């Protein structure tokens, strides 16, 4: 059998563009959903055209037009959805339910990978408000997938390195701190960081692998399992500078989130997840 034909939904997004690149690199016939809602967003349009130049095929469809989604899905074997689940970009997790309906009607898809890629929502039942919103919505999508008997693979990669490594896991910036760094708790909690390009590479490798059918794939490279203090040590050794360190207790952290609006939910969810990572370590 040849390689599966893949439709990427959300291909211009942070993870989506990497998924498209990985599909092309691994020799898959790659289709990218082009939605009319793109409007005047020229950056997204130019990215789509660059995908086309690299060999991807653009497929026009809209979430407001069910039949167009069905027609798009019928052209491929696998659907990978990478729609955003973070509030400071856009929050479209439940929009995937329309895609689930289209996949169910099309009846030809041999694998669906919904937009997950971070923490495994099935293991985050203890998450508190407002950080539990994303996890609960992902579980709603999972429930719909499984009730529709759609073959699936869920991918859990924990913390994206681009968001949590250069900044030493400081939530207000993506840049390395210059003078001081906040340490969460004692800073010795193990955390799993995965490069986003690696997330894409191994996500695409699952689609023709029977071992990942109807399973959750956990990406946990041992050399990427680090504490926050280890990250700080790495930066200090690299720069030759010692940062001032101050402690942020769980109580202080939760107090700082009081009154946060919906734009802070996704950051809170990630931070809440970071403090609960030990359950991953037991499975390594």
């Amino acid at each position: 059998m040849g390689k599966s034909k893949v439709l990427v939904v959300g291909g211009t997004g942070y993870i989506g563009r990497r998924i498209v690149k990985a599909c092309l690199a691994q020799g898959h016939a790659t289709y990218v959903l082009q939605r009319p809602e793109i409007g005047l967003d020229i950056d997204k349009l130019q990215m789509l055209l660059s995908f086309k130049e690299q060999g991807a095929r653009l497929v026009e469809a809209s979430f407001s037009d069910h039949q167009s989604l069905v027609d798009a899905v019928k052209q491929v074997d696998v659907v990978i959805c990478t729609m955003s689940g973070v509030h400071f970009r856009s929050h479209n997790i439940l929009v995937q339910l329309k895609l689930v309906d289209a996949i169910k009607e099309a009846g030809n898809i041999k694998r669906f990978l919904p937009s997950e890629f971070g923490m495994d929502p099935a293991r985050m039942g203890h998450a508190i408000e407002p950080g539990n919103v994303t996890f609960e919505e992902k579980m709603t999508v999972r429930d719909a997938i499984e009730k529709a008997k759609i073959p699936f693979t869920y991918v859990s990669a924990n913390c994206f390195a681009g968001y949590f490594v250069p900044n030493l896991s400081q939530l207000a910036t993506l840049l390395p701190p210059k003078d001081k760094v906040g340490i969460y708790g004692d800073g010795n909690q193990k955390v799993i960081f995965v490069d986003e390009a690696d997330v894409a590479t191994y996500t695409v490798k699952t689609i023709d692998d029977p071992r990942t059918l109807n399973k959750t794939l956990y990406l946990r490279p041992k050399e990427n399992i680090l504490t926050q203090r280890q990250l700080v040590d790495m930066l200090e050794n690299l720069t030759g500078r010692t940062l001032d360190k101050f402690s942020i207790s769980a109580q202080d952290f939760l107090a700082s989130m009081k009154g946060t609006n919906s734009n802070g939910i996704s950051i809170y969810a990630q931070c809440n997840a970071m403090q609960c990572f030990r359950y991953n370590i037991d499975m390594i």
Side-chain angles (χ1 to χ4, degrees):
M1 295 179 63
K3 289 180 176 288
S4 294
K5 294 183 289 185
V6 185
L7 173 65
V8 181
V9 180
T12 60
Y14 184 67
I15 292 296
R17 71 190 73 170
R18 292 167 171 81
I19 295 285
V20 173
K21 182 178 180 180
C23 286
L24 291 169
Q26 294 179 39
H28 291 276
T30 305
Y31 298 68
V32 183
L33 198 71
Q34 177 181 337
R35 293 183 285 160
E37 292 84 358
I38 193 173
L40 298 176
D41 193 331
I42 193 168
D43 289 332
K44 287 186 177 181
L45 176 60
Q46 290 179 339
M47 190 180 304
L48 288 170
L49 294 176
S50 73
F51 292 154
K52 187 176 181 179
E53 289 177 350
Q54 296 170 54
R57 306 176 191 182
L58 305 183
V59 181
E60 293 189 25
S62 172
F63 281 96
S64 61
D65 182 348
H66 173 73
Q67 190 57 49
S68 71
L69 286 177
V70 173
D71 293 342
V73 166
K74 284 184 175 180
Q75 298 182 52
V76 299
D77 308 303
V78 173
V79 176
I80 302 177
C81 186
T82 63
M83 298 183 71
S84 176
V86 294
H87 290 263
F88 59 84
R89 291 177 180 270
S90 58
H91 190 79
N92 297 313
I93 294 297
L94 292 182
V95 176
Q96 292 181 101
L97 295 175
K98 297 182 179 180
L99 187 57
V100 171
D101 290 340
I103 291 172
K104 181 179 180 180
E105 181 173 330
N108 64 302
I109 293 302
K110 71 175 189 180
R111 198 78 64 95
F112 176 42
L113 285 72
S115 184
E116 297 213 355
F117 310 110
M119 295 296 297
D120 180 359
R123 313 184 85 192
M124 293 303 296
H126 56 276
I128 61 177
E129 295 182 354
N132 60 344
V133 172
T134 296
F135 300 128
E136 290 179 354
E137 290 185 353
K138 288 182 177 181
M139 289 305 297
T140 297
V141 175
R142 283 191 180 191
D143 186 57
I145 291 168
E146 293 172 28
K147 283 183 177 179
K149 300 187 183 304
I150 296 170
F152 64 84
T153 297
Y154 305 138
V155 177
S156 173
N158 299 286
C159 282
F160 292 158
Y163 276 97
F164 288 100
V165 174
N167 59 358
L168 306 184
S169 301
Q170 308 300 289
L171 297 182
T173 179
L174 296 174
L175 299 173
K178 296 180 179 180
D179 303 308
K180 58 184 179 180
V181 58
I183 302 296
Y184 302 109
D186 63 8
N188 292 319
Q189 182 68 53
K190 293 285 188 177
V191 181
I192 303 167
F193 303 99
V194 185
D195 180 82
E196 292 83 341
D198 289 342
V199 175
T201 295
Y202 288 101
T203 293
V204 175
K205 284 182 179 293
T206 70
I207 63 179
D208 287 324
D209 189 337
R211 296 174 297 176
T212 60
L213 178 62
N214 295 335
K215 300 287 179 59
T216 299
L217 173 70
Y218 296 98
L219 300 180
R220 292 173 179 159
K222 291 185 177 181
E223 61 272 22
N224 290 31
I225 301 174
L226 304 165
T227 68
Q228 187 189 12
R229 286 194 178 274
Q230 286 177 307
L231 287 181
V232 173
D233 289 344
M234 288 178 179
L235 181 64
E236 289 181 336
N237 290 334
L238 183 65
T239 62
R241 293 186 292 107
T242 299
L243 297 171
D244 291 331
K245 303 167 186 69
F246 61 94
S247 179
I248 302 173
S249 69
Q251 293 77 13
D252 289 342
F253 175 78
L254 292 173
S256 72
M257 297 305 299
K258 289 183 178 179
T260 300
N261 60 25
S262 62
N263 289 329
I265 290 179
S266 60
I267 296 177
Y268 184 91
Q270 293 166 332
C271 213
N272 183 43
M274 286 183 65
Q275 299 181 67
C276 306
F277 264 44
R278 185 153 292 165
Y279 75 87
N280 285 328
I281 305 304
D282 295 335
M283 297 183 63
I284 296 172

